Amino acid sequence: MAETESKSDDPAREIAERYRHRVGGVLTALRETVARFGYVSRSREHVVADVFNLSRAEVRGIVSFYHDLKTTPQPPVQVRVCQAEACQSVGARELTTRVESHLGIKLGETNDAVSLDAVYCLGLCAQAPSMMVNGRPLARADLCDLAEEIPA
Ligand code: FES
């Protein structure tokens, strides 16, 4: 079966069916698909489109709009460094440079072990700069925090 075909036994169908009649169900189903499988494959986009009676293009549009709805397998460690104003005012750019050096990748890049992305406000402005490692927010972040999480 081609990757673009919608399989009837795909576990993503059970997820989508669960949210089928809920307001915001499409996004919730896609988020749960990412939580369970790590990303939303094309075939799973098609499953969601089928269950919600949407076009594949509509579901593709939703998936492509939200950065968190990954479409490819992700590395085991995901780092995000806040680039918004409050964090910039207390050294987020310098922190980003140090994090890039520590990880050996630039902002927006991914390797087999880690991804490094920008995020625009984690709600920790009063404790800036901030970053997030595998969904765990780090306030008043510095390279030592990251080095504890990800030794070089
Ligand atoms: S601006 Fe960085 S947490 Fe709000």
Side-chain angles (χ1 to χ4, degrees), residues 52-85:
F52 286 90
N53 196 27
L54 297 170
S55 72
R56 292 175 176 185
E58 288 172 302
V59 174
R60 180 92 276 273
I62 295 167
V63 170
S64 65
F65 182 80
Y66 292 101
H67 184 76
D68 286 349
L69 297 176
K70 304 294 186 187
T71 57
T72 57
Q74 297 298 298
V77 178
Q78 293 154 29
V79 178
R80 296 171 142 193
V81 181
C82 182
Q83 303 295 305
E85 290 82 358

PDB file of all heavy atoms in Angstrom, residues 52-85:
ATOM      1  N   PHE A  52     -12.965  12.818   9.557  1.00  0.00           N
ATOM      2  CA  PHE A  52     -13.642  14.105   9.752  1.00  0.00           C
ATOM      3  C   PHE A  52     -14.336  14.609   8.487  1.00  0.00           C
ATOM      4  O   PHE A  52     -14.862  15.710   8.463  1.00  0.00           O
ATOM      5  CB  PHE A  52     -12.649  15.145  10.274  1.00  0.00           C
ATOM      6  CG  PHE A  52     -12.294  14.942  11.715  1.00  0.00           C
ATOM      7  CD1 PHE A  52     -11.212  14.145  12.070  1.00  0.00           C
ATOM      8  CD2 PHE A  52     -13.049  15.519  12.725  1.00  0.00           C
ATOM      9  CE1 PHE A  52     -10.883  13.936  13.400  1.00  0.00           C
ATOM     10  CE2 PHE A  52     -12.734  15.328  14.059  1.00  0.00           C
ATOM     11  CZ  PHE A  52     -11.649  14.526  14.399  1.00  0.00           C
ATOM     12  N   ASN A  53     -14.306  13.791   7.447  1.00  0.00           N
ATOM     13  CA  ASN A  53     -14.940  14.148   6.176  1.00  0.00           C
ATOM     14  C   ASN A  53     -14.420  15.492   5.647  1.00  0.00           C
ATOM     15  O   ASN A  53     -15.184  16.379   5.262  1.00  0.00           O
ATOM     16  CB  ASN A  53     -16.467  14.174   6.305  1.00  0.00           C
ATOM     17  CG  ASN A  53     -17.145  14.148   4.951  1.00  0.00           C
ATOM     18  OD1 ASN A  53     -16.585  13.627   3.981  1.00  0.00           O
ATOM     19  ND2 ASN A  53     -18.339  14.727   4.867  1.00  0.00           N
ATOM     20  N   LEU A  54     -13.105  15.614   5.698  1.00  0.00           N
ATOM     21  CA  LEU A  54     -12.423  16.794   5.172  1.00  0.00           C
ATOM     22  C   LEU A  54     -11.602  16.373   3.960  1.00  0.00           C
ATOM     23  O   LEU A  54     -11.320  15.187   3.776  1.00  0.00           O
ATOM     24  CB  LEU A  54     -11.480  17.381   6.231  1.00  0.00           C
ATOM     25  CG  LEU A  54     -12.131  17.905   7.513  1.00  0.00           C
ATOM     26  CD1 LEU A  54     -11.063  18.220   8.543  1.00  0.00           C
ATOM     27  CD2 LEU A  54     -12.972  19.137   7.230  1.00  0.00           C
ATOM     28  N   SER A  55     -11.202  17.351   3.170  1.00  0.00           N
ATOM     29  CA  SER A  55     -10.293  17.024   2.078  1.00  0.00           C
ATOM     30  C   SER A  55      -8.892  16.820   2.655  1.00  0.00           C
ATOM     31  O   SER A  55      -8.565  17.319   3.739  1.00  0.00           O
ATOM     32  CB  SER A  55     -10.268  18.146   1.038  1.00  0.00           C
ATOM     33  OG  SER A  55      -9.579  19.267   1.551  1.00  0.00           O
ATOM     34  N   ARG A  56      -8.086  16.088   1.916  1.00  0.00           N
ATOM     35  CA  ARG A  56      -6.704  15.893   2.351  1.00  0.00           C
ATOM     36  C   ARG A  56      -5.975  17.233   2.403  1.00  0.00           C
ATOM     37  O   ARG A  56      -5.126  17.457   3.256  1.00  0.00           O
ATOM     38  CB  ARG A  56      -6.001  14.927   1.409  1.00  0.00           C
ATOM     39  CG  ARG A  56      -6.567  13.522   1.514  1.00  0.00           C
ATOM     40  CD  ARG A  56      -5.976  12.573   0.506  1.00  0.00           C
ATOM     41  NE  ARG A  56      -6.483  11.226   0.718  1.00  0.00           N
ATOM     42  CZ  ARG A  56      -6.081  10.177   0.064  1.00  0.00           C
ATOM     43  NH1 ARG A  56      -5.156  10.289  -0.871  1.00  0.00           N
ATOM     44  NH2 ARG A  56      -6.598   8.994   0.313  1.00  0.00           N
ATOM     45  N   ALA A  57      -6.326  18.131   1.493  1.00  0.00           N
ATOM     46  CA  ALA A  57      -5.694  19.457   1.473  1.00  0.00           C
ATOM     47  C   ALA A  57      -6.037  20.246   2.732  1.00  0.00           C
ATOM     48  O   ALA A  57      -5.190  20.975   3.265  1.00  0.00           O
ATOM     49  CB  ALA A  57      -6.136  20.231   0.233  1.00  0.00           C
ATOM     50  N   GLU A  58      -7.266  20.113   3.229  1.00  0.00           N
ATOM     51  CA  GLU A  58      -7.630  20.822   4.459  1.00  0.00           C
ATOM     52  C   GLU A  58      -6.803  20.331   5.639  1.00  0.00           C
ATOM     53  O   GLU A  58      -6.306  21.126   6.441  1.00  0.00           O
ATOM     54  CB  GLU A  58      -9.129  20.648   4.748  1.00  0.00           C
ATOM     55  CG  GLU A  58     -10.019  21.433   3.807  1.00  0.00           C
ATOM     56  CD  GLU A  58     -11.484  21.101   3.997  1.00  0.00           C
ATOM     57  OE1 GLU A  58     -11.853  19.906   3.859  1.00  0.00           O
ATOM     58  OE2 GLU A  58     -12.261  22.039   4.271  1.00  0.00           O
ATOM     59  N   VAL A  59      -6.660  19.025   5.749  1.00  0.00           N
ATOM     60  CA  VAL A  59      -5.863  18.483   6.854  1.00  0.00           C
ATOM     61  C   VAL A  59      -4.394  18.852   6.672  1.00  0.00           C
ATOM     62  O   VAL A  59      -3.709  19.232   7.617  1.00  0.00           O
ATOM     63  CB  VAL A  59      -6.060  16.958   6.980  1.00  0.00           C
ATOM     64  CG1 VAL A  59      -5.132  16.376   8.035  1.00  0.00           C
ATOM     65  CG2 VAL A  59      -7.515  16.647   7.309  1.00  0.00           C
ATOM     66  N   ARG A  60      -3.900  18.791   5.431  1.00  0.00           N
ATOM     67  CA  ARG A  60      -2.505  19.198   5.157  1.00  0.00           C
ATOM     68  C   ARG A  60      -2.289  20.641   5.577  1.00  0.00           C
ATOM     69  O   ARG A  60      -1.268  21.018   6.127  1.00  0.00           O
ATOM     70  CB  ARG A  60      -2.211  19.030   3.661  1.00  0.00           C
ATOM     71  CG  ARG A  60      -0.793  19.409   3.262  1.00  0.00           C
ATOM     72  CD  ARG A  60       0.133  18.210   3.298  1.00  0.00           C
ATOM     73  NE  ARG A  60       0.678  17.912   4.597  1.00  0.00           N
ATOM     74  CZ  ARG A  60       1.790  18.458   5.098  1.00  0.00           C
ATOM     75  NH1 ARG A  60       2.479  19.331   4.419  1.00  0.00           N
ATOM     76  NH2 ARG A  60       2.235  18.121   6.274  1.00  0.00           N
ATOM     77  N   GLY A  61      -3.287  21.487   5.324  1.00  0.00           N
ATOM     78  CA  GLY A  61      -3.187  22.892   5.708  1.00  0.00           C
ATOM     79  C   GLY A  61      -3.074  23.064   7.208  1.00  0.00           C
ATOM     80  O   GLY A  61      -2.285  23.879   7.691  1.00  0.00           O
ATOM     81  N   ILE A  62      -3.844  22.307   7.955  1.00  0.00           N
ATOM     82  CA  ILE A  62      -3.767  22.373   9.420  1.00  0.00           C
ATOM     83  C   ILE A  62      -2.403  21.897   9.890  1.00  0.00           C
ATOM     84  O   ILE A  62      -1.740  22.554  10.692  1.00  0.00           O
ATOM     85  CB  ILE A  62      -4.886  21.522  10.061  1.00  0.00           C
ATOM     86  CG1 ILE A  62      -6.258  22.103   9.725  1.00  0.00           C
ATOM     87  CG2 ILE A  62      -4.688  21.418  11.576  1.00  0.00           C
ATOM     88  CD1 ILE A  62      -7.425  21.172  10.039  1.00  0.00           C
ATOM     89  N   VAL A  63      -1.964  20.773   9.375  1.00  0.00           N
ATOM     90  CA  VAL A  63      -0.682  20.211   9.806  1.00  0.00           C
ATOM     91  C   VAL A  63       0.465  21.164   9.464  1.00  0.00           C
ATOM     92  O   VAL A  63       1.368  21.373  10.273  1.00  0.00           O
ATOM     93  CB  VAL A  63      -0.464  18.824   9.165  1.00  0.00           C
ATOM     94  CG1 VAL A  63       0.960  18.326   9.402  1.00  0.00           C
ATOM     95  CG2 VAL A  63      -1.478  17.828   9.725  1.00  0.00           C
ATOM     96  N   SER A  64       0.415  21.758   8.299  1.00  0.00           N
ATOM     97  CA  SER A  64       1.522  22.641   7.906  1.00  0.00           C
ATOM     98  C   SER A  64       1.486  23.976   8.660  1.00  0.00           C
ATOM     99  O   SER A  64       2.514  24.627   8.794  1.00  0.00           O
ATOM    100  CB  SER A  64       1.509  22.880   6.396  1.00  0.00           C
ATOM    101  OG  SER A  64       0.352  23.586   6.019  1.00  0.00           O
ATOM    102  N   PHE A  65       0.330  24.350   9.181  1.00  0.00           N
ATOM    103  CA  PHE A  65       0.230  25.631   9.913  1.00  0.00           C
ATOM    104  C   PHE A  65       0.869  25.553  11.294  1.00  0.00           C
ATOM    105  O   PHE A  65       1.525  26.482  11.730  1.00  0.00           O
ATOM    106  CB  PHE A  65      -1.235  26.046  10.047  1.00  0.00           C
ATOM    107  CG  PHE A  65      -1.422  27.361  10.739  1.00  0.00           C
ATOM    108  CD1 PHE A  65      -1.247  28.551  10.055  1.00  0.00           C
ATOM    109  CD2 PHE A  65      -1.752  27.404  12.088  1.00  0.00           C
ATOM    110  CE1 PHE A  65      -1.399  29.766  10.696  1.00  0.00           C
ATOM    111  CE2 PHE A  65      -1.908  28.619  12.733  1.00  0.00           C
ATOM    112  CZ  PHE A  65      -1.729  29.811  12.030  1.00  0.00           C
ATOM    113  N   TYR A  66       0.684  24.437  11.970  1.00  0.00           N
ATOM    114  CA  TYR A  66       1.160  24.310  13.354  1.00  0.00           C
ATOM    115  C   TYR A  66       2.527  23.638  13.400  1.00  0.00           C
ATOM    116  O   TYR A  66       2.673  22.479  13.031  1.00  0.00           O
ATOM    117  CB  TYR A  66       0.161  23.517  14.198  1.00  0.00           C
ATOM    118  CG  TYR A  66      -1.127  24.260  14.418  1.00  0.00           C
ATOM    119  CD1 TYR A  66      -2.263  23.962  13.668  1.00  0.00           C
ATOM    120  CD2 TYR A  66      -1.205  25.277  15.360  1.00  0.00           C
ATOM    121  CE1 TYR A  66      -3.445  24.650  13.858  1.00  0.00           C
ATOM    122  CE2 TYR A  66      -2.381  25.975  15.558  1.00  0.00           C
ATOM    123  CZ  TYR A  66      -3.493  25.658  14.805  1.00  0.00           C
ATOM    124  OH  TYR A  66      -4.657  26.348  14.993  1.00  0.00           O
ATOM    125  N   HIS A  67       3.504  24.388  13.891  1.00  0.00           N
ATOM    126  CA  HIS A  67       4.875  23.902  13.951  1.00  0.00           C
ATOM    127  C   HIS A  67       4.993  22.614  14.774  1.00  0.00           C
ATOM    128  O   HIS A  67       5.832  21.755  14.490  1.00  0.00           O
ATOM    129  CB  HIS A  67       5.778  24.989  14.531  1.00  0.00           C
ATOM    130  CG  HIS A  67       7.222  24.631  14.552  1.00  0.00           C
ATOM    131  ND1 HIS A  67       8.014  24.656  13.421  1.00  0.00           N
ATOM    132  CD2 HIS A  67       8.012  24.199  15.555  1.00  0.00           C
ATOM    133  CE1 HIS A  67       9.224  24.270  13.736  1.00  0.00           C
ATOM    134  NE2 HIS A  67       9.266  23.993  15.020  1.00  0.00           N
ATOM    135  N   ASP A  68       4.167  22.478  15.796  1.00  0.00           N
ATOM    136  CA  ASP A  68       4.264  21.304  16.671  1.00  0.00           C
ATOM    137  C   ASP A  68       3.742  20.030  16.022  1.00  0.00           C
ATOM    138  O   ASP A  68       3.986  18.941  16.533  1.00  0.00           O
ATOM    139  CB  ASP A  68       3.505  21.544  17.972  1.00  0.00           C
ATOM    140  CG  ASP A  68       4.256  22.491  18.892  1.00  0.00           C
ATOM    141  OD1 ASP A  68       5.435  22.790  18.623  1.00  0.00           O
ATOM    142  OD2 ASP A  68       3.659  22.931  19.886  1.00  0.00           O
ATOM    143  N   LEU A  69       3.024  20.165  14.928  1.00  0.00           N
ATOM    144  CA  LEU A  69       2.521  18.975  14.240  1.00  0.00           C
ATOM    145  C   LEU A  69       3.592  18.498  13.262  1.00  0.00           C
ATOM    146  O   LEU A  69       3.567  18.786  12.074  1.00  0.00           O
ATOM    147  CB  LEU A  69       1.200  19.274  13.524  1.00  0.00           C
ATOM    148  CG  LEU A  69       0.041  19.664  14.450  1.00  0.00           C
ATOM    149  CD1 LEU A  69      -1.189  20.024  13.650  1.00  0.00           C
ATOM    150  CD2 LEU A  69      -0.272  18.557  15.446  1.00  0.00           C
ATOM    151  N   LYS A  70       4.550  17.777  13.792  1.00  0.00           N
ATOM    152  CA  LYS A  70       5.687  17.313  13.003  1.00  0.00           C
ATOM    153  C   LYS A  70       5.239  16.302  11.957  1.00  0.00           C
ATOM    154  O   LYS A  70       4.346  15.498  12.196  1.00  0.00           O
ATOM    155  CB  LYS A  70       6.733  16.674  13.913  1.00  0.00           C
ATOM    156  CG  LYS A  70       7.228  17.572  15.025  1.00  0.00           C
ATOM    157  CD  LYS A  70       7.988  18.747  14.483  1.00  0.00           C
ATOM    158  CE  LYS A  70       8.611  19.563  15.604  1.00  0.00           C
ATOM    159  NZ  LYS A  70       9.210  20.797  15.129  1.00  0.00           N
ATOM    160  N   THR A  71       5.897  16.339  10.815  1.00  0.00           N
ATOM    161  CA  THR A  71       5.535  15.434   9.721  1.00  0.00           C
ATOM    162  C   THR A  71       6.619  14.395   9.430  1.00  0.00           C
ATOM    163  O   THR A  71       6.473  13.605   8.506  1.00  0.00           O
ATOM    164  CB  THR A  71       5.238  16.221   8.434  1.00  0.00           C
ATOM    165  OG1 THR A  71       6.381  17.010   8.118  1.00  0.00           O
ATOM    166  CG2 THR A  71       4.016  17.105   8.606  1.00  0.00           C
ATOM    167  N   THR A  72       7.672  14.441  10.203  1.00  0.00           N
ATOM    168  CA  THR A  72       8.744  13.449  10.059  1.00  0.00           C
ATOM    169  C   THR A  72       9.154  12.975  11.455  1.00  0.00           C
ATOM    170  O   THR A  72       8.948  13.705  12.433  1.00  0.00           O
ATOM    171  CB  THR A  72       9.976  14.046   9.354  1.00  0.00           C
ATOM    172  OG1 THR A  72      10.419  15.184  10.089  1.00  0.00           O
ATOM    173  CG2 THR A  72       9.662  14.433   7.912  1.00  0.00           C
ATOM    174  N   PRO A  73       9.741  11.791  11.545  1.00  0.00           N
ATOM    175  CA  PRO A  73      10.205  11.324  12.861  1.00  0.00           C
ATOM    176  C   PRO A  73      11.187  12.325  13.463  1.00  0.00           C
ATOM    177  O   PRO A  73      12.003  12.919  12.748  1.00  0.00           O
ATOM    178  CB  PRO A  73      10.891  10.003  12.539  1.00  0.00           C
ATOM    179  CG  PRO A  73      10.294   9.558  11.252  1.00  0.00           C
ATOM    180  CD  PRO A  73       9.989  10.815  10.487  1.00  0.00           C
ATOM    181  N   GLN A  74      11.085  12.518  14.767  1.00  0.00           N
ATOM    182  CA  GLN A  74      11.919  13.502  15.446  1.00  0.00           C
ATOM    183  C   GLN A  74      13.023  12.818  16.250  1.00  0.00           C
ATOM    184  O   GLN A  74      12.857  11.669  16.688  1.00  0.00           O
ATOM    185  CB  GLN A  74      11.052  14.351  16.385  1.00  0.00           C
ATOM    186  CG  GLN A  74      10.003  15.161  15.657  1.00  0.00           C
ATOM    187  CD  GLN A  74      10.631  16.151  14.690  1.00  0.00           C
ATOM    188  OE1 GLN A  74      11.366  17.045  15.085  1.00  0.00           O
ATOM    189  NE2 GLN A  74      10.378  15.970  13.404  1.00  0.00           N
ATOM    190  N   PRO A  75      14.133  13.523  16.463  1.00  0.00           N
ATOM    191  CA  PRO A  75      15.193  12.949  17.291  1.00  0.00           C
ATOM    192  C   PRO A  75      14.720  12.849  18.740  1.00  0.00           C
ATOM    193  O   PRO A  75      13.728  13.482  19.116  1.00  0.00           O
ATOM    194  CB  PRO A  75      16.339  13.961  17.139  1.00  0.00           C
ATOM    195  CG  PRO A  75      15.672  15.236  16.791  1.00  0.00           C
ATOM    196  CD  PRO A  75      14.456  14.870  15.997  1.00  0.00           C
ATOM    197  N   PRO A  76      15.445  12.091  19.557  1.00  0.00           N
ATOM    198  CA  PRO A  76      14.987  11.888  20.943  1.00  0.00           C
ATOM    199  C   PRO A  76      14.998  13.141  21.803  1.00  0.00           C
ATOM    200  O   PRO A  76      14.258  13.223  22.777  1.00  0.00           O
ATOM    201  CB  PRO A  76      15.955  10.829  21.493  1.00  0.00           C
ATOM    202  CG  PRO A  76      17.109  10.828  20.561  1.00  0.00           C
ATOM    203  CD  PRO A  76      16.617  11.300  19.234  1.00  0.00           C
ATOM    204  N   VAL A  77      15.832  14.119  21.466  1.00  0.00           N
ATOM    205  CA  VAL A  77      15.901  15.351  22.257  1.00  0.00           C
ATOM    206  C   VAL A  77      15.493  16.534  21.386  1.00  0.00           C
ATOM    207  O   VAL A  77      16.015  16.710  20.286  1.00  0.00           O
ATOM    208  CB  VAL A  77      17.325  15.573  22.814  1.00  0.00           C
ATOM    209  CG1 VAL A  77      17.401  16.875  23.592  1.00  0.00           C
ATOM    210  CG2 VAL A  77      17.741  14.395  23.688  1.00  0.00           C
ATOM    211  N   GLN A  78      14.566  17.320  21.901  1.00  0.00           N
ATOM    212  CA  GLN A  78      14.107  18.512  21.188  1.00  0.00           C
ATOM    213  C   GLN A  78      14.301  19.731  22.087  1.00  0.00           C
ATOM    214  O   GLN A  78      13.758  19.784  23.189  1.00  0.00           O
ATOM    215  CB  GLN A  78      12.645  18.345  20.785  1.00  0.00           C
ATOM    216  CG  GLN A  78      12.494  17.249  19.730  1.00  0.00           C
ATOM    217  CD  GLN A  78      11.142  16.609  19.722  1.00  0.00           C
ATOM    218  OE1 GLN A  78      10.158  17.232  20.063  1.00  0.00           O
ATOM    219  NE2 GLN A  78      11.103  15.349  19.339  1.00  0.00           N
ATOM    220  N   VAL A  79      15.090  20.662  21.599  1.00  0.00           N
ATOM    221  CA  VAL A  79      15.423  21.871  22.357  1.00  0.00           C
ATOM    222  C   VAL A  79      14.820  23.064  21.644  1.00  0.00           C
ATOM    223  O   VAL A  79      14.900  23.175  20.414  1.00  0.00           O
ATOM    224  CB  VAL A  79      16.965  22.054  22.459  1.00  0.00           C
ATOM    225  CG1 VAL A  79      17.312  23.333  23.210  1.00  0.00           C
ATOM    226  CG2 VAL A  79      17.607  20.846  23.117  1.00  0.00           C
ATOM    227  N   ARG A  80      14.229  23.949  22.421  1.00  0.00           N
ATOM    228  CA  ARG A  80      13.687  25.188  21.877  1.00  0.00           C
ATOM    229  C   ARG A  80      14.194  26.333  22.735  1.00  0.00           C
ATOM    230  O   ARG A  80      14.124  26.261  23.965  1.00  0.00           O
ATOM    231  CB  ARG A  80      12.168  25.173  21.909  1.00  0.00           C
ATOM    232  CG  ARG A  80      11.578  24.119  21.027  1.00  0.00           C
ATOM    233  CD  ARG A  80      10.119  24.002  21.261  1.00  0.00           C
ATOM    234  NE  ARG A  80       9.479  23.762  19.992  1.00  0.00           N
ATOM    235  CZ  ARG A  80       8.191  23.846  19.780  1.00  0.00           C
ATOM    236  NH1 ARG A  80       7.388  24.210  20.755  1.00  0.00           N
ATOM    237  NH2 ARG A  80       7.700  23.609  18.604  1.00  0.00           N
ATOM    238  N   VAL A  81      14.685  27.359  22.086  1.00  0.00           N
ATOM    239  CA  VAL A  81      15.170  28.528  22.805  1.00  0.00           C
ATOM    240  C   VAL A  81      14.283  29.706  22.436  1.00  0.00           C
ATOM    241  O   VAL A  81      14.060  29.988  21.250  1.00  0.00           O
ATOM    242  CB  VAL A  81      16.645  28.837  22.452  1.00  0.00           C
ATOM    243  CG1 VAL A  81      17.130  30.051  23.244  1.00  0.00           C
ATOM    244  CG2 VAL A  81      17.529  27.628  22.733  1.00  0.00           C
ATOM    245  N   CYS A  82      13.784  30.396  23.449  1.00  0.00           N
ATOM    246  CA  CYS A  82      12.886  31.524  23.217  1.00  0.00           C
ATOM    247  C   CYS A  82      13.640  32.673  22.551  1.00  0.00           C
ATOM    248  O   CYS A  82      14.726  33.043  22.986  1.00  0.00           O
ATOM    249  CB  CYS A  82      12.258  31.988  24.527  1.00  0.00           C
ATOM    250  SG  CYS A  82      11.102  33.351  24.257  1.00  0.00           S
ATOM    251  N   GLN A  83      13.045  33.201  21.504  1.00  0.00           N
ATOM    252  CA  GLN A  83      13.654  34.295  20.751  1.00  0.00           C
ATOM    253  C   GLN A  83      12.820  35.573  20.843  1.00  0.00           C
ATOM    254  O   GLN A  83      13.070  36.531  20.112  1.00  0.00           O
ATOM    255  CB  GLN A  83      13.792  33.892  19.274  1.00  0.00           C
ATOM    256  CG  GLN A  83      14.588  32.628  19.033  1.00  0.00           C
ATOM    257  CD  GLN A  83      16.042  32.779  19.429  1.00  0.00           C
ATOM    258  OE1 GLN A  83      16.723  33.689  18.970  1.00  0.00           O
ATOM    259  NE2 GLN A  83      16.513  31.893  20.287  1.00  0.00           N
ATOM    260  N   ALA A  84      11.815  35.594  21.700  1.00  0.00           N
ATOM    261  CA  ALA A  84      10.935  36.770  21.785  1.00  0.00           C
ATOM    262  C   ALA A  84      11.593  37.882  22.606  1.00  0.00           C
ATOM    263  O   ALA A  84      12.659  37.702  23.197  1.00  0.00           O
ATOM    264  CB  ALA A  84       9.590  36.365  22.353  1.00  0.00           C
ATOM    265  N   GLU A  85      10.939  39.036  22.630  1.00  0.00           N
ATOM    266  CA  GLU A  85      11.550  40.266  23.122  1.00  0.00           C
ATOM    267  C   GLU A  85      12.087  40.193  24.543  1.00  0.00           C
ATOM    268  O   GLU A  85      13.221  40.612  24.808  1.00  0.00           O
ATOM    269  CB  GLU A  85      10.546  41.431  23.003  1.00  0.00           C
ATOM    270  CG  GLU A  85      10.280  41.855  21.581  1.00  0.00           C
ATOM    271  CD  GLU A  85       9.255  40.978  20.867  1.00  0.00           C
ATOM    272  OE1 GLU A  85       8.768  39.991  21.467  1.00  0.00           O
ATOM    273  OE2 GLU A  85       8.957  41.248  19.696  1.00  0.00           O
TER     274      GLU A  85
END
